[in-house]
Amino acid sequence: MEEIILKTTDLTKKYNHKTVVDNLNMEIRKGEIFGLLGPNGAGKSTAMNMICSVVRPTAGSIELLGKNPWKQKKEVIHKIGYIPQELAIHGNLKAWENVELFTSLYGIKGAELKSAVKESLEYVDLLERKQEFAKNFSGGMKRRLNIACAIGHNPELLIFDEPTVGIDPQSRKFILDKIKESNEKGATVIYTSHYMEEVEAICTRIAIMDNGKIIACGTSEELKKLVGSNHEDITLEEVFLTLTGKKLRDYAE
């Protein structure tokens, strides 16, 4: 039986009278790259923030690595690496100082911390730029540094929330390749995006989310079968249009 690393049950978030995440039911298996596909405003980031104990749910429950992340936060938080859509780096700190700061928050010290910082910067190909201030980096380099800051404590679950927004194609390819590499090394990955081609390229299963709800979930082939018997000729974009009545590209930047 496959191990479930994350399970949400009727997970809901409301702001005043607006429901942003609406009874989200989701299971993610250990070792997979799980894609959460949807337009901006679909509720993807809010859902991830609840899973990471950043935003408190209005209703529903979360089970992460067999534990409640809100009631047992100290026991699970060090097993998560969260790469947010908004850059979580300090421009006036050098690259290595950024990684050291975030990695040390997990209680890593001394020689272990020094080694973790080196390995993280090496992993995102920024070791030679470690003495440079983050504010002087290009958009793609800042995104890579953002990843380095999230992986120093060697988490079991990596959550990438729109990590390729606003960057060049070369940096986008680098990040996608690193996500696949992390997965091959044993990390379970959640990848949220509104870029159809990215999700289809790297994810083992895909959930389509719109208006705070998951409306379909499965492999790329399974999703295509939902909308037509001749599924080999159907694109994932056509699946999204059929299921939501929307064109995903209308929401792209």
Side-chain angles (χ1 to χ4, degrees):
M1 186 176 178
E2 293 177 296
E3 181 181 348
I4 301 298
I5 197 168
L6 172 67
K7 180 179 180 179
T8 68
T9 305
D10 298 330
L11 189 63
T12 300
K13 182 61 184 178
K14 296 182 180 181
Y15 290 104
N16 297 321
H17 298 294
K18 183 179 181 181
T19 301
V20 181
V21 176
D22 189 1
N23 289 295
L24 188 71
N25 292 290
M26 180 170 63
E27 286 189 355
I28 296 173
R29 305 160 190 157
K30 184 176 177 63
E32 70 177 334
I33 303 180
F34 185 89
L36 197 54
L37 176 67
N40 287 336
K44 305 185 304 294
S45 294
T46 302
M48 295 305 103
N49 282 327
M50 286 191 284
I51 290 165
C52 293
S53 306
V54 175
V55 172
R56 186 174 289 278
T58 303
S61 64
I62 303 167
E63 189 176 302
L64 181 59
L65 297 162
K67 302 181 186 301
N68 183 320
W70 282 97
K71 295 181 179 179
Q72 299 164 290
K73 191 169 183 176
K74 289 183 179 180
E75 296 178 45
V76 298
I77 196 66
H78 67 283
K79 296 182 180 181
I80 304 172
Y82 180 43
I83 299 88
Q85 183 175 350
E86 299 298 327
L87 291 170
I89 55 177
H90 298 278
N92 291 322
L93 292 180
K94 296 176 181 178
W96 72 266
E97 291 173 325
N98 268 283
V99 181
E100 182 182 64
L101 172 63
F102 285 99
T103 305
S104 67
L105 295 176
Y106 295 92
I108 300 173
K109 302 176 182 178
E112 185 183 358
L113 177 60
K114 184 177 180 180
S115 176
V117 171
K118 179 178 180 294
E119 288 180 12
S120 298
L121 286 170
E122 211 165 34
Y123 189 66
V124 297
D125 200 23
L126 287 176
L127 187 59
E128 293 182 0
R129 314 292 290 269
K130 66 179 182 180
Q131 295 291 350
E132 296 181 32
F133 288 100
K135 63 184 178 183
N136 297 327
F137 282 179
S138 67
M141 290 170 65
K142 287 177 180 176
R143 288 284 173 188
R144 284 152 53 191
L145 181 59
N146 212 35
I147 294 172
C149 290
I151 63 172
H153 58 295
N154 195 29
E156 293 181 37
L157 175 64
L158 288 171
I159 299 175
F160 290 85
D161 188 6
E162 303 274 7
T164 63
V165 170
I167 62 173
D168 60 276
Q170 185 178 355
S171 295
R172 176 174 285 124
K173 182 181 183 304
F174 180 91
I175 289 173
L176 294 177
D177 286 344
K178 284 299 175 182
I179 290 171
K180 289 189 286 187
E181 186 178 332
S182 294
N183 178 250
E184 288 166 2
K185 291 182 176 179
T188 302
V189 177
I190 303 175
Y191 187 81
T192 81
S193 181
H194 62 265
Y195 292 119
M196 191 83 67
E197 68 280 3
E198 292 182 0
V199 171
E200 191 164 18
I202 68 171
C203 296
T204 51
R205 279 196 307 143
I206 302 165
I208 294 178
M209 189 172 182
D210 193 31
N211 296 323
K213 296 182 178 181
I214 288 180
I215 58 175
C217 183
T219 65
S220 177
E221 287 302 306
E222 287 170 343
L223 291 175
K224 291 175 183 179
K225 287 179 182 178
L226 290 176
V227 299
S229 56
N230 193 17
H231 59 275
E232 292 180 0
D233 298 326
I234 297 174
T235 67
L236 200 55
E237 187 166 358
E238 288 172 321
V239 173
F240 188 88
L241 175 61
T242 302
L243 294 176
T244 68
K246 301 172 182 176
K247 292 182 180 179
L248 189 62
R249 64 175 178 268
D250 290 344
Y251 296 84
E253 296 178 342

